[in-house]
Amino acid sequence: MTLPILTALPGERRGYIDGPDGQIHYRSMGEGPAVVLVHQAPWASIQFRHAMPLIANAGYRAIAIDLPGHGMSDPPAAPSIEAYAAAIGALIDALDLAPAVVLGHRGGGLAAGRLAADRPDLVRALILDNAPFMSAEDRAARIGRFPDNQEIAPDGSHIADRWNWVRRVGDKDWSDETVHISVVTYFLHGPWKEHGHSVIPLFDFEADVPRISASTLIIGSRTDAVFPSAARLRQARPDWAYAELPGGPGMVLDRIAEWWVPVESFLDGVAKTAHSAGIAENKA
């Protein structure tokens, strides 16, 4: 196995927009209706390196954001799901993408959901890929769960320690390449590497879910630790579509063909609905 590309993915364009807290970096691939991809913590836009070509080849424009304090984006004044949602909204506004399909993975789903609740004009449809949907008690129990060690070990063992931690607690389906990318990306975030994890239990997604009017797909992966959240979301919003995958949180990383099946089907349905609405509007 050779070292993977982390910077310039084949066929992509990269850019920056000015967001509420500084510059926001993004990757773009393809042409067509916009599909905005929001990574989990503590990843970055590179998480969607396998998904973007599939989305682009299906006739859409895939845009993957680096949330504030992640990847190559500036850090926020104060990390929060609300700040991340505002950054996604700023990206959609700046690139004139509205209304876009927004897909959020795990904690990225919380930011995508907050945007859909607050700015329905920006979100045509929403995909919640293993988004955590926790009670107040569960959220309280998760505060401080991820330690944030800022020290550099003189022998470089902090890097090996992170590798071993990911192998111990991460998705068993992850390839060595994916673990490598996750470790490099983690340290790329610098002092902000645990910001994303730290804000997830502080955010009450239960208050946003009833406010979301966009057509929504829930994806639940059976071996993901947050899989019970999918059932809770379905109970809260039985009108939303649902797809269940056999693996864990790494389906979008190392089992992309399986992940793509429900996503492509949902995107096609959204596109057909938008086309029909356009025809009806023109006739009117």
Side-chain angles (χ1 to χ4, degrees):
M1 180 178 294
T2 58
L3 290 172
I5 297 171
L6 295 179
T7 50
L9 299 178
E12 75 171 9
R13 300 286 296 175
R14 297 166 307 285
Y16 288 89
I17 63 106
D18 291 324
D21 291 295
Q23 294 188 90
I24 297 171
H25 176 257
Y26 67 91
R27 303 171 185 266
S28 177
M29 187 180 297
E31 298 293 337
V35 180
V36 177
L37 305 168
V38 188
H39 60 82
Q40 71 175 95
W43 276 79
S45 57
I46 191 67
Q47 177 182 1
F48 297 105
R49 69 194 187 281
H50 296 316
M52 291 182 71
L54 293 177
I55 295 169
N57 289 338
Y60 301 93
R61 182 183 178 187
I63 305 100
I65 187 174
D66 284 345
L67 291 174
H70 296 75
M72 297 298 291
S73 291
D74 290 339
S80 67
I81 296 298
E82 293 86 350
Y84 299 156
I88 304 167
L91 179 72
I92 293 173
D93 276 333
L95 299 183
D96 195 21
L97 304 175
V101 177
V102 183
L103 182 153
H105 187 253
R106 299 193 107 206
L110 301 184
R114 164 45 67 103
L115 179 68
D118 278 356
R119 293 289 308 275
D121 56 309
L122 299 184
V123 181
R124 182 188 303 279
L126 177 67
I127 302 176
L128 298 174
D129 184 358
N130 289 284
F133 188 52
M134 299 177 287
S135 66
E137 293 76 17
D138 289 338
R139 290 191 292 110
R142 292 177 66 88
I143 293 175
R145 179 177 175 181
F146 294 93
D148 188 9
N149 182 12
Q150 297 284 342
E151 300 300 318
I152 297 175
D155 61 355
S157 59
H158 60 291
I159 298 175
D161 288 346
R162 181 64 187 180
W163 182 289
N164 294 331
W165 185 90
V166 171
R167 271 294 178 218
R168 186 173 67 254
V169 306
D171 193 328
K172 305 306 178 186
D173 290 333
W174 279 11
S175 63
D176 289 341
E177 178 183 274
T178 294
V179 174
H180 167 81
I181 293 173
S182 79
V183 172
V184 173
T185 301
Y186 182 74
F187 287 110
L188 174 66
H189 301 336
W192 310 293
K193 57 188 172 57
E194 286 295 347
H195 275 188
H197 275 149
S198 70
V199 300
I200 289 172
L202 304 180
F203 183 70
D204 180 14
F205 196 33
E206 289 184 303
D208 280 345
V209 166
R211 300 193 296 124
I212 296 172
S213 58
S215 175
T216 300
L217 170 65
I218 304 163
I219 297 178
S221 296
R222 295 183 197 126
T223 62
D224 192 328
V226 301
F227 179 58
S229 289
R232 294 193 67 235
L233 278 169
R234 293 180 73 191
Q235 184 176 17
R237 292 298 302 262
D239 55 315
W240 287 354
Y242 176 70
E244 190 167 301
L245 297 176
M251 296 288 293
V252 70
L253 294 157
D254 284 303
R255 298 174 68 174
I256 190 65
E258 296 166 272
W259 176 89
W260 177 235
V261 171
V263 173
E264 181 181 29
S265 177
F266 182 74
L267 291 177
D268 286 348
V270 170
K272 289 176 182 176
T273 300
H275 179 68
S276 298
I279 292 175
E281 184 176 333
N282 290 335
K283 286 182 177 180

